[in-house]
């Protein structure tokens, strides 16, 4: 842990993502104050296509909405979906990886084929079709569907660790002392690979947000949840590009990239510390 | 006084870590003379490999040469350019790495790996190079068809012998063998050691041999150095060191060798210190059974005791060593 | 030899296994989702054109019959697979009814494969090259700078970069076309103007992939190279005093090729995911754009067909890469 403090990559990532999360948490207060109680998505609240000004730092869009308010609101939803889906995916991954690593044999082989299939096969079209044909899709359903497609990534991080931990003597010791399989899993193994779970988690969050944004940009998914992807979709379909309203698209893109980059920096930083060979690698 | 073939002067090889520098080899000076077999011994982690890799300029970041000189033929090896040094490498100074059985490129045939080295240093044709390689393989007792095999098709002992053949095929002046025969069964170890010694006689090699096991030193070395915590604590002719070890650490090491007299080998008490944080004063004092007050504060220097024996220990101040 | 045959057989078997599992999982997944495609399609027509309800009941029934959706799930599965395997048929397209979905897909596929193949191979080779250089010279400031850039760039989703590129270079600066695969004024053929138009149109779409994937490959290549630098056999190779070219080519590159090929195989699916949006953004006439059109029209058979086709293509690419492994690494060749 002390080592983490000395990793500039980890720290940079942590600071950026913390800022974004704080911004998302404060969104209701900021927007409430700025929009005087109106919803950020309320149509026709202001004149359309206002230039950036003190009152509207990023101007307004083609529906007369304050762009800054939309962005903060979008950030909140994107992060929320990402963390929910990512969390669910991590739980699935930990469960399946433990099962595979611990039981071995046929079960392990099956889970490996399954997670490899999800990794190898282009899953986004499948996701898109599902979302298209599901009648009513809400925030939670969407997260569950996303989680279902993003557990393979974290599983790949976690599984080798479980397999290697299983081989360590204290697990045998625990077995001699007649702990149940479940107890061994939770008492002995889990604490040891918490860092790997965290790495897996941020991989899953990234994957979920990426997939969600891609869905929303093309106009799929719950229209009443204005995440960043939806904001971009609105901008594209209102012709923001053609009339030179680049900021409306560029800023949500920047937010998204910041999320992805910061999570990855955290991962790289952790990796370097967890994996002594990698630590040698960077030498910085 | 005889001129040494190669002389190491105050060599320091450090590793950068997030906790500061690991001072793995920390001021080693050695003279190695032509045609001798020089042994280096010491506990695991005392910096033997680091020393050898430092001398051969094989250090990779985070490792780096902090200071020191290696004089060979009147030139400091560290001052040569990469190209200049590459010409000397292998041609004159060869190397058998630690774990030589895992030191072959897994994706190239033995032939290609041997020829690579030969072609890089001589103006021979491919056929001639292959001939040289075949002869070298023959000299270590390997059959001809080994040349067409991939490393994974050979046994560990065979791979080690391929390494030995490869390191001697250009008839170098000196070979640095870093535990050249470990990780094999005893018979194979002996066989490979004999092979090296046989080649030494045949082409007039100088051998520097790093080994854990003092028994090997006793068998083949002329002189040796004992390393502890990145420093040389004692050097001298092998027989004298074995008959009359001066440094308490050497004594401990010898006690750790099982023999007929001692049924049970005694290991040195305490744990080896970390190169991040060597103990102050004499680095061995926390584990030394003859510790004195001075040992805690003052670092002993390597001093000439007898004609050829050097030791770094406060017990032998001013030559009163009996 | 025997081992080699065994290796190939195993790969092929696994290939079919994954294909069948994915295909079946996909089929049941889609069909078990509440809400069937015809109803959704008709609902959409309703919304769009304001058709009255009694008529739609009739339409739904007819459509269901025409598309075989009135049968039970399992029969449909069997029918689907049978049609797929024996007739290579995905059924009729909703929108271009009665034109088969198959012909739409076949028309679009070469565009996608061409663009994607070129972009992926280019970035793979370039990434390996740059990664080797910055891994070899890892201490230099330039290497570290490139690495940091890579850590950021490799995390940008390709479709977001595509948006930025189209915005800046097509809309903003007007340097590149807004879409299409070639200028509409030209006749396809082996003429200079046509080919240069092809490249001109493919430039931005492929760049949105290359600019990102190069860095991804570069980072992993760098890690592989640096890992190798610690390997004993590289120490030995260096001690042999080999010239740098030989050392890098035969001792470093050769040994990173296998993990890089695996990496390529593993990331193809992910790349294709983003590629769907890239085609849509650049209005490039491949299956990605077709997919988006089918989504808008809820063209069930085309959607299914495209998904199955991409699965098939990506898995086949994987199989081809795996067939190359023994060429790269002798350890696989002889067991
Ligand atoms: N890359 C590295 N980073 C930090 N410290 C290192 C690194 N490589 C080696 N060391 C340290 O340098 C010290 C000396 O290592 P070295 O390999 O030279 O020991 P050795 O005497 O050869 O041991 P052995 O007999 O086990 O081979 C060790 O304490 C080790 O921890
Ligand atoms: Mg060693």
């Amino acid at each position: 842990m002390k080592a983490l403090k000395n990793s500039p990559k980890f720290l940079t990532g942590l600071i950026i993502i913390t800022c974004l999360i704080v911004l998302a948490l404060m969104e209701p207060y900021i927007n409430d104050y700025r929009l005087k109680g109106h919803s950020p998505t309320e149509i026709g609240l202001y004149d359309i296509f206002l230039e950036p000004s003190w009152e509207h730092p990023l101007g307004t869009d083609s529906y007369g909405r304050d762009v800054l308010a939309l962005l903060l609101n979008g950030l909140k939803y994107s992060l929320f979906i990402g963390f929910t889906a990512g969390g669910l995916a991590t739980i699935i991954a930990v469960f399946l990886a433990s099962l595979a690593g611990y039981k071995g044999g046929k079960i392990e082989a099956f889970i490996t084929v399954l997670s490899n299939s999800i990794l190898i096969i282009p899953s986004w079209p499948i996701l898109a079709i599902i979302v298209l044909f599901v009648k009513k899709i809400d925030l939670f359903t969407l997260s569950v569907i996303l989680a279902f497609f993003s557990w393979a990534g974290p599983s790949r991080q976690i599984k080798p660790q479980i397999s290697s931990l299983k081989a360590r003597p204290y697990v045998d010791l625990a077995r001699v002392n007649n702990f149940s399989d479940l107890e061994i899993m939770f008492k002995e193994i889990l604490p040891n690979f918490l860092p790997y779970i965290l790495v897996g988690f941020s991989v899953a969050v990234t994957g979920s947000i990426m997939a969600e944004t891609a869905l929303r940009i093309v106009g799929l998914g719950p229209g009443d949840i204005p995440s960043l992807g939806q904001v971009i979709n609105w901008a594209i379909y209102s012709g923001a590009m053609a009339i030179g309203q680049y900021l409306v698209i560029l800023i949500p893109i920047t937010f998204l990239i910041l999320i992805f980059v910061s999570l990855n920096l955290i991962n790289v930083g952790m990796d370097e510390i967890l994996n002594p060979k990698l630590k040698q690698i960077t030498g910085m | 006084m005889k001129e040494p073939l190669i002389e190491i002067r105050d060599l320091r090889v450090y590793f950068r870590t997030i906790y500061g520098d690991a001072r793995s080899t920390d001021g080693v000076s050695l003279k190695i003379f032509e045609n001798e077999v020089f042994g280096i011994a010491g506990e695991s982690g005392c910096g033997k490999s680091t020393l050898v890799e430092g001398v051969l300029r094989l250090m990779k970041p985070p490792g780096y040469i902090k200071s020191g000189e290696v004089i060979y033929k009147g030139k400091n090896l560290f001052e040569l350019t990469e190209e200049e040094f590459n010409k000397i490498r292998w041609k004159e100074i060869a190397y058998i790495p630690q774990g030589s059985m895992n030191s072959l490129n897994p994706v190239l045939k033995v032939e290609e790996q041997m020829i690579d080295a030969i072609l890089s240093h001589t103006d021979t044709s491919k056929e001639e190079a292959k001939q040289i390689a075949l002869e070298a393989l023959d000299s270590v007792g390997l059959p001809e068809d080994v040349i067409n095999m991939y490393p994974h098709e050979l046994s560990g002992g065979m791979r080690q012998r391929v390494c030995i053949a490869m390191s001697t095929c250009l008839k170098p002046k000196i070979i640095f063998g870093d535990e050249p025969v470990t990780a094999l069964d005893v018979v194979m170890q002996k066989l490979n050691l004999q092979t090296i010694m046989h080649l030494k006689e045949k082409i007039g090699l100088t051998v520097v041999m790093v080994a854990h096991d003092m028994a090997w030193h006793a068998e083949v070395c002329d002189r040796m150095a004992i390393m502890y915590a990145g420093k040389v604590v004692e050097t001298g002719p092998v027989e004298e060191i074995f008959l009359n070890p001066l440094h308490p650490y050497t004594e401990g090491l010898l006690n750790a060798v099982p023999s007929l007299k001692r049924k049970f080998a005694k290991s040195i008490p305490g744990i080896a210190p970390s190169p991040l944080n060597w103990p102050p004063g004499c680095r061995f004092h926390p584990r030394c059974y003859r510790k004195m007050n001075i040992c805690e504060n003052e670092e002993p220097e390597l001093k000439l005791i007898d004609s050829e024996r050097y030791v770094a220990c406060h017990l032998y101040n001013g030559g009163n060593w009996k | 030899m025997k081992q080699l045959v065994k290796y190939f057989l195993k790969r092929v078997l696994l290939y079919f296994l994954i294909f069948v599992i994915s295909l079946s999982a996909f089929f049941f997944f889609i069909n078990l989702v509440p809400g069937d495609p015809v109803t959704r399609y008709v609902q959409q027509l309703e919304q769009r054109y304001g058709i009255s309800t009694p008529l739609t009941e009739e339409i739904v029934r007819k459509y269901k019959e025409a598309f075989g959706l009135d049968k039970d799930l399992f029969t449909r599965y069997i029918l689907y697979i049978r049609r797929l395997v024996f007739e290579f048929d995905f059924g009729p397209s909703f929108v271009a009814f009665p034109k088969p979905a198959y012909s739409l897909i076949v028309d679009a596929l070469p565009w996608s494969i061409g663009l994607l193949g070129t972009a992926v191979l280019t970035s793979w080779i370039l990434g390996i090259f740059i990664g080797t250089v910055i891994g070899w010279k890892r201490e230099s400031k330039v290497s570290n700078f490139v690495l940091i850039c890579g850590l950021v760039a490799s995390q940008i989703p390709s479709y977001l970069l595509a948006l930025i590129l189209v915005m800046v270079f097509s809309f903003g600066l007007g340097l590149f076309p807004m879409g299409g695969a070639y200028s509409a004024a030209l006749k396809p053929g082996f003429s200079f103007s046509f080919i240069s138009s092809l490249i001109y149109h493919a430039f931005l779409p492929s760049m949105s992939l290359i600019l990102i994937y190069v860095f991804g490959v570069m980072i992993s290549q760098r890690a592989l190279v640096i890992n190798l630098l610690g390997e004993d056999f590289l120490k030995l190779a260096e001690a042999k005093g080999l010239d740098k070219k030989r050392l890098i080519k035969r001792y470093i590159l050769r040994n990173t090729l296998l993990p890089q090929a695996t990496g390529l195989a593993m990331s193809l699916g992910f790349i294709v995911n983003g590629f769907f949006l890239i085609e849509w953004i650049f209005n490039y006439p491949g299956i990605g754009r077709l997919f988006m059109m089918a989504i808008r029209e809820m063209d069930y058979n085309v959607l299914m067909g495209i998904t199955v086709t991409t699965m098939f293509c990506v898995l086949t690419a994987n199989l081809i890469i795996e067939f190359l492994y023994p060429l790269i690494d002798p350890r696989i060749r002889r067991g």
Side-chain angles (χ1 to χ4, degrees), chain B residues 53 58 60-61 86 89-90 95 97-98 102-107 112-113 116-117 120-121 150 152-153 166, chain C residues 138-139 229 232-233 235-236 238-244 246 250-251 254-255 328-331 333-335:
Chain B
E53 283 166 27
L58 291 171
K60 280 275 161 324
N86 261 352
R89 273 179 161 163
W90 216 251
Y95 171 55
Q98 181 161 15
N102 299 320
S103 295
L104 295 171
N105 186 351
V107 298
E112 293 172 277
Q113 304 195 39
D116 263 351
S120 294
H121 293 287
Y150 287 99
H152 70 274
E153 298 168 310
M166 197 147 62
Chain C
R138 65 172 139 162
E139 291 283 85
L229 292 184
D232 287 336
F233 76 79
K235 237 177 232 167
L236 184 67
E238 243 185 293
K240 285 199 282 192
L242 303 182
D243 54 289
K244 240 183 227 137
R246 204 181 275 260
R250 287 157 70 92
Y251 290 74
R254 274 294 307 267
N255 280 287
I328 302 173
D329 196 318
R331 281 167 290 188
R333 216 175 305 163
R334 305 205 193 173

Side-chain angles (χ1 to χ4, degrees), chain B residues 41-69:
Chain B
E43 282 174 310
S44 184
C46 68
K48 305 181 295 289
S49 301
T50 314
L51 169 68
V52 171
E53 283 166 27
V55 169
L56 297 171
R57 289 181 40 176
L58 291 171
M59 244 30 250
K60 280 275 161 324
Y64 68 105
I65 310 276
K66 172 78 176 174
S67 63
E69 295 179 335

Side-chain angles (χ1 to χ4, degrees), chain C residues 70-230:
Chain C
D70 51 346
K71 310 208 172 51
D72 70 295
L73 186 61
F74 192 69
T75 323
R76 258 159 43 206
Y77 175 68
I78 300 292
L79 280 176
Y80 191 78
I81 296 286
R82 202 175 66 192
R83 246 191 357 212
L84 198 65
V85 174
F86 293 105
E87 295 156 44
F88 213 69
D89 183 11
F90 302 118
S93 151
F94 273 170
V95 192
F97 190 79
K99 206 173 176 192
Y102 164 81
S103 75
L104 291 177
I105 294 172
V106 165
D107 286 345
L109 196 58
W111 291 109
S112 298
I113 292 183
L115 185 59
L116 192 69
T118 328
V120 168
L121 274 183
T122 312
S123 35
W124 192 69
I125 292 168
L126 218 61
I128 288 183
F129 179 74
I130 303 175
T132 309
V133 174
I134 68 165
W136 182 255
K137 296 196 180 292
R138 65 172 139 162
E139 291 283 85
S140 95
K141 289 230 162 62
V142 180
S143 299
N144 274 326
F145 177 73
V146 175
L147 175 68
I148 298 288
C149 290
L151 281 178
V152 174
S154 64
Q155 291 309 305
I156 302 174
S158 53
Y159 59 81
L160 289 186
L161 182 63
L163 274 178
I164 296 175
L165 290 181
V166 84
M167 206 153 67
V168 174
F169 292 100
S170 299
F171 283 91
L173 301 173
L175 289 176
F176 284 92
M178 306 265 182
Y182 52 90
S183 162
L186 294 167
K187 255 192 139 36
F190 269 106
S191 66
F192 174 76
S193 56
F194 179 69
I195 289 175
S196 55
S197 171
L198 270 189
I199 296 175
Y200 182 49
H201 280 76
F203 186 76
L204 282 189
S206 45
M207 272 305 145
S208 9
L209 240 169
I210 292 174
L211 286 180
I212 287 158
Y213 194 50
V214 153
F215 287 108
V217 177
M218 175 195 89
I219 289 174
S220 61
Q221 177 70 5
R222 175 181 176 276
L224 285 170
V225 167
I226 292 174
N227 251 333
L228 275 182
L229 292 184

Side-chain angles (χ1 to χ4, degrees), chain A:
Chain A
M1 281 305 110
K2 201 177 118 198
L4 283 179
K5 279 192 204 127
N6 285 323
S7 162
K9 287 178 201 140
F10 179 83
L11 281 184
T12 315
L14 192 67
I15 290 171
I16 296 176
I17 195 71
T18 311
C19 288
L20 290 175
I21 291 174
V22 168
L23 213 54
L25 287 177
M26 289 189 4
E27 180 274 341
Y29 308 106
I30 300 175
N31 277 350
D32 208 43
Y33 171 76
R34 288 193 56 241
L35 307 180
K36 306 185 178 62
H38 291 279
S39 154
T41 52
E42 197 176 315
I43 288 175
L45 196 54
Y46 305 101
D47 288 336
I48 62 166
F49 292 137
L50 287 178
E51 292 287 309
S53 66
W54 185 240
E55 220 171 314
H56 305 289
L58 298 173
T60 59
D61 73 354
S62 60
Y63 299 99
R65 296 172 297 194
D66 181 87
V67 172
L68 178 67
L70 275 181
L71 284 175
L72 290 182
N73 195 44
L75 178 69
K76 178 182 73 181
Y77 280 112
S78 285
L79 282 177
F80 182 80
I81 294 172
F83 278 86
T84 322
L88 283 172
T90 313
I91 293 172
I92 300 176
V94 169
F95 176 73
L96 289 182
S98 320
L99 200 67
Y102 203 70
K103 290 281 177 208
K106 285 217 177 72
I107 295 179
E108 177 171 22
F110 177 73
I111 291 174
T112 310
V113 169
L114 199 66
S115 78
N116 276 349
S117 307
I118 292 187
L119 283 175
I120 293 172
I121 284 166
S123 54
W124 189 80
I126 304 178
L127 188 63
I129 297 178
I130 292 174
V131 171
L132 177 68
F133 287 123
V134 170
K135 262 209 194 94
K136 249 178 65 75
I137 193 159
D138 55 20
L139 203 58
F140 184 70
T141 325
L142 183 63
S143 302
V144 172
I145 298 175
L146 285 169
F148 193 85
F149 284 93
S150 22
W151 64 267
S155 159
R156 218 156 70 121
Q157 302 278 337
I158 296 164
K159 226 195 89 201
Q161 297 313 319
I162 298 208
S163 305
S164 79
L165 280 167
K166 195 183 67 171
R168 293 191 192 169
Y170 57 82
V171 176
D172 283 333
L173 210 68
R175 225 179 255 157
V176 170
N177 290 336
N178 267 333
F179 283 123
S180 74
D181 283 4
L182 222 68
E183 265 182 294
I184 295 177
M185 239 183 248
F186 282 100
K187 282 206 182 125
E188 310 290 322
I189 298 183
L190 255 171
N192 278 293
F193 72 115
L194 211 59
Y196 298 94
I197 295 186
L198 280 178
V199 172
F201 175 66
S202 71
V203 167
V205 172
T206 304
S208 309
I209 298 183
M210 262 188 207
E212 195 263 351
T213 308
L215 287 175
R216 307 308 298 282
I217 286 184
V218 301
L220 288 171
D224 55 339
I225 300 167
S227 66
L228 288 174
Q230 180 70 62
V231 174
I232 297 175
N233 172 271
W234 280 329
I236 293 175
Y237 278 99
S238 63
M241 284 196 199
I243 53 172
Q245 283 255 319
Y246 298 146
L247 276 186
V248 191
I249 295 180
L250 272 182
I251 294 188
I253 289 183
T254 313
F255 270 148
L256 285 165
I257 292 176
L258 279 178
I259 297 175
F260 301 142
V261 169
S262 61
L263 287 177
N264 186 247
L265 283 177
I266 289 180
N267 274 0
V268 173
M270 293 236 275
D271 253 9
E272 280 170 6
I273 283 142
L274 292 174
N275 183 347
K277 207 153 186 191
L278 265 177
K279 186 167 59 184
Q280 285 178 17
I281 287 172
T282 52
M284 347 196 281

Side-chain angles (χ1 to χ4, degrees), chain C residues 42-43 45-46 51-61:
Chain C
V42 174
Q43 269 175 1
L45 285 182
E46 222 171 41
I51 305 169
S52 58
T53 331
L55 189 67
T56 53
E57 290 278 325
E58 180 65 15
I59 291 174
V60 168
R61 209 180 48 74

